[in-house]
């Protein structure tokens, strides 16, 4: 079976790429493949922003990613540089920059591009959404 990494680049607020990626990930697991990590880059980091309220009747993406990660032990990594620029910070960065509050949702972690480089080397396939 193959090992995959997903690279998310689009905002969760526009388009359907996050829904397609979640469906793809579920299909991977159903077929016996593994998902090494999901790396969120550029505006995709907004998915890890705590306190989001989804549109009424729409599946909450934050919760869907958290459930996928919890069920299959998949790391959800936000590019730290992109996240900081967009106000998505963990406790460490909140204290470092003296910001009012941590805004990173549970189940997500901040990571550098080195993590994505490692994923490219260790995965059989990297799929970009």
């Amino acid at each position: 079976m193959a090992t995959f990494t997903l690279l998310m680049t689009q905002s969760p607020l526009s388009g359907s790429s996050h829904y397609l990626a979640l469906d793809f990930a579920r299909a991977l697991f159903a077929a016996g493949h593994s998902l090494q990590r999901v790396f969120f880059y550029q505006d995709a980091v907004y998915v890890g922003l705590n306190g989001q309220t989804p549109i009424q009747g729409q599946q909450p993406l934050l919760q869907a990613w958290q459930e996928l990660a919890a069920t299959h032990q998949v790391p959800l990594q936000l590019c730290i540089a992109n996240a900081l620029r967009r106000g998505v910070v963990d406790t460490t960065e909140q204290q470092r920059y003296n910001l009012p509050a941590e805004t990173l949702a549970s189940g997500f972690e901040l990571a550098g591009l080195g993590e994505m480089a490692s994923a490219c080397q260790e995965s059989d396939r990297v799929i970009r959404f």
Side-chain angles (χ1 to χ4, degrees):
M1 294 295 142
T3 301
F4 289 79
T5 290
L6 300 184
L7 172 62
M8 304 300 301
T9 59
Q10 291 187 351
S11 170
L13 306 174
S14 63
S16 60
S17 64
H18 285 259
Y19 295 108
L20 294 171
L22 284 161
D23 288 343
F24 182 80
R26 291 178 190 118
L28 286 178
F29 292 120
H33 299 292
S34 64
L35 182 57
Q36 185 182 36
R37 76 186 76 213
V38 182
F39 193 85
F40 299 88
Y41 190 64
Q42 297 172 334
D43 281 346
V45 300
Y46 282 123
V47 78
L49 182 62
N50 200 17
Q52 298 179 53
T53 304
I55 297 171
Q56 187 174 6
Q58 190 176 55
Q59 177 191 19
L61 284 169
L62 174 64
Q63 182 182 357
W65 282 116
Q66 288 170 323
E67 288 173 4
L68 181 87
T71 303
H72 299 286
Q73 290 73 50
V74 175
L76 302 175
Q77 299 178 325
L78 278 62
C79 173
I80 189 168
N82 286 268
L84 288 174
R85 261 185 258 132
R86 290 162 177 84
V88 183
V89 295
D90 61 7
T91 302
T92 302
E93 300 305 317
Q94 179 260 330
Q95 292 172 355
R96 176 182 296 162
Y97 294 104
N98 198 28
L99 298 171
E102 176 183 355
T103 57
L104 182 67
S106 65
F108 290 84
E109 62 182 312
L110 300 181
L113 285 176
E115 291 291 326
M116 186 60 205
S118 294
C120 289
Q121 289 182 329
E122 298 166 4
S123 297
D124 296 315
R125 301 274 191 274
V126 176
I127 309 295
R128 179 181 170 262
F129 285 89

